[in-house]
Amino acid sequence: MENPGFEMQEEGHPNMVSKIPPKNNYPYPYLFEQKKTSCSLMKIFLVCFLACLITTAIGVLILSLVYVGQVGPKPGQDMMDSAVEEKPSQNKADSRFSFLNHLGTSKVFKFEGGAIQWARFRNNPKDYSTEAEMRFGTSINKHESKMTLGTLRIVSQGLRVPHWHFNANEHGFLLQGKAWIGVVDEGGSTVTTYNVTAGQVIFFPKNTLHWVKSVGDEDCLFILFFTTHDELRTLDVDDAFFGTPEDIASRSLKPEGGVQFIRTFEKQLEDQAVNLPANLNELIKNANYEQSANSSVWKYFYDLKGSREFIFPGGIIQWARYRKNGVGLNENEKIYSESLNQNADTLTLGTLRIFSNGLRQPHFHFNAHEMGYVISGCGQIGIVGDEPVSEFTVGVGDVFFFPIGTQHYIKSACVEDLLMILAFSTGNQLQTLDMDDYFHATSDHILAQLFLKKQPEFKKIPVFTEDQAVNIP
């Protein structure tokens, strides 16, 4: 209770409680005599007092109900709104979902040959599974991130059927398994096929027909990035075929039997996006998983796990990116680098390994948004941007997003290393500035004036000969 007087009287003050001794021993017998003569009046008083209490209680209850009716949620008002008003801190906590998506727990879209999960924007709010997913999707769209992320699982012998994307390039990182890739160039004159294993990168330019076939004994698991912050638009070959009039398809393909042959095709009831027919062994007798020449393959492929390691005190970075004039790249890597740069709105990919207790220090990117997926380990992420965001935890299967120019850091918080695949929304050289670099680049007298700290104090910040981008205590 807020009223200390009421608290004291509620159960009586300790000093006000007394025990009345027996009448015969009591030194003032007239008090008991007086009590007998006034007994009836006391009863009347008690009855009246009790009636007053009951009347008062009823009155208070009625007033309370009227008050609640006036200040409570209006008919049709969202109860979530009133909850947020009562707990404004809840709004602040939810702000992390502008930058965090628990992809591992999101809706699974199942197909015959595999499954897909999405961290994406959707035009229809009803297509989101949770409020948190909607906040993330809205955020990447509002910031024009030019990125959508999805995981694609293809079971052994399953096929992501030939398709193309109207509004996005596709970059993929194979986390597990072995796949055979096909890419059809403009005009169909060149078909590039190649094999890819765990740790390697695939690339498909916008509107380029491609397929992915799982050819190992275990499932393939891809982390896919698409260069759009709008809803991804895709067309599968079977849908394109069945959407074409029979006579037009017949005149185009000119099969034996003409239109009658075209009519033997049956559209399946289930979506065939990731396909694995039950009678696959009857349908296919021979399958060759050929590898095209390197000059073609490396336009769509990069051996990330075999690339140069950039080693820091607290971790390791490897890059699949464009380098001006091919600096630091071998001949095959130069092909990939130029392929990225020649196509508009491509991505830079990289793996970042942060050793246990290591830190990717606060930094920001001049020319790219960043999106990442946690492969192993766990970490803490902090963001300093245009809205307050509390530090949040990420673990395996989580997706995070840093808008361009937003300062951010990542700490490894587990015994095992924190390993992530990162994508940056630029096909040019990534431009980044770390906190220690901009402190050292700023004159100490400017820092002294800014932080109201004596100029010599800033000499205590050391300059290291080794890059501290990823450091460790």
Side-chain angles (χ1 to χ4, degrees), residues 178-219:
K178 181 179 180 181
W180 187 61
I181 309 295
V183 185
V184 181
D185 284 351
E186 178 185 0
S189 57
T190 303
V191 180
T192 302
T193 56
Y194 58 93
N195 294 286
V196 59
T197 58
Q200 296 176 326
V201 165
I202 56 176
F203 168 57
F204 308 124
K206 184 189 304 182
N207 290 318
T208 299
L209 179 70
H210 56 279
W211 68 78
V212 183
K213 167 91 172 181
S214 176
V215 295
D217 295 329
E218 61 178 340
D219 295 357

Side-chain angles (χ1 to χ4, degrees), residues 11-284:
E11 297 192 11
H13 193 285
N15 294 335
M16 298 298 291
V17 179
S18 61
K19 291 184 179 180
I20 300 176
K23 174 183 175 181
N24 293 337
N25 298 330
Y26 199 74
Y28 303 105
Y30 69 94
L31 290 176
F32 288 93
E33 293 295 326
Q34 188 177 9
K35 183 177 180 180
K36 287 181 181 180
T37 58
S38 60
C39 182
S40 59
L41 292 175
M42 181 61 71
K43 289 181 179 179
I44 295 172
F45 171 77
L46 290 175
V47 170
C48 293
F49 181 71
L50 181 60
C52 289
L53 285 177
I54 294 172
T55 304
T56 301
I58 293 173
V60 170
L61 178 61
I62 292 172
L63 288 173
S64 300
L65 292 174
V66 172
Y67 177 77
V68 169
Q70 290 177 343
V71 302
K74 303 294 186 295
Q77 181 180 354
D78 192 343
M79 292 299 290
M80 289 182 65
D81 293 341
S82 61
V84 168
E85 290 176 0
E86 291 177 5
K87 298 180 180 180
S89 61
Q90 190 175 354
N91 252 352
K92 184 177 180 181
D94 285 347
S95 66
R96 70 187 185 276
F97 291 113
S98 293
F99 312 100
L100 170 66
N101 183 296
H102 293 308
L103 183 61
T105 60
S106 67
K107 180 179 178 180
V108 179
F109 294 85
K110 295 182 179 180
F111 304 90
E112 288 180 348
I116 300 176
Q117 289 179 283
W118 291 108
R120 65 189 286 185
F121 168 75
R122 295 185 178 278
N123 289 316
N124 187 349
K126 294 182 179 179
D127 289 338
Y128 291 105
S129 299
T130 65
E131 292 289 333
E133 282 185 16
M134 183 168 69
R135 180 146 192 166
F136 183 84
T138 303
S139 174
I140 62 175
N141 183 261
K142 179 187 74 173
H143 287 99
E144 299 183 351
S145 66
K146 293 187 178 180
M147 279 188 286
T148 286
L149 189 148
T151 57
L152 169 63
R153 180 177 295 277
I154 309 176
V155 301
S156 180
Q157 301 307 309
L159 170 70
R160 175 64 183 100
V161 303
H163 64 284
W164 65 92
H165 309 291
F166 298 106
N167 61 337
N169 301 301
E170 179 179 353
H171 296 254
F173 177 80
L174 182 55
L175 194 59
Q176 168 190 304
K178 181 179 180 181
W180 187 61
I181 309 295
V183 185
V184 181
D185 284 351
E186 178 185 0
S189 57
T190 303
V191 180
T192 302
T193 56
Y194 58 93
N195 294 286
V196 59
T197 58
Q200 296 176 326
V201 165
I202 56 176
F203 168 57
F204 308 124
K206 184 189 304 182
N207 290 318
T208 299
L209 179 70
H210 56 279
W211 68 78
V212 183
K213 167 91 172 181
S214 176
V215 295
D217 295 329
E218 61 178 340
D219 295 357
C220 280
L221 178 59
F222 284 92
I223 313 301
L224 303 176
F225 297 90
F226 301 87
T227 60
T228 181
H229 48 265
D230 293 318
E231 194 151 38
L232 183 64
R233 296 166 56 206
T234 300
L235 186 63
D236 294 349
V237 163
D238 61 330
D239 293 325
F241 175 82
F242 287 113
T244 303
E246 293 175 343
D247 61 323
I248 299 299
S250 176
R251 290 181 62 178
S252 299
L253 300 177
K254 294 182 169 48
E256 293 182 13
V259 173
Q260 294 304 317
F261 176 78
I262 297 298
R263 289 173 179 169
T264 62
F265 287 78
E266 295 183 9
K267 185 173 178 60
Q268 302 300 309
L269 296 177
E270 293 187 6
D271 191 335
Q272 296 295 302
V274 191
N275 164 285
L276 184 60
N279 60 337
L280 183 63
N281 291 331
E282 298 175 14
L283 299 174
I284 298 175

Side-chain angles (χ1 to χ4, degrees), residues 424-438:
F424 304 85
S425 60
T426 181
N428 293 317
Q429 286 195 175
L430 183 64
Q431 299 173 12
T432 301
L433 187 61
D434 293 348
M435 175 178 276
D436 65 337
D437 291 330
Y438 68 68

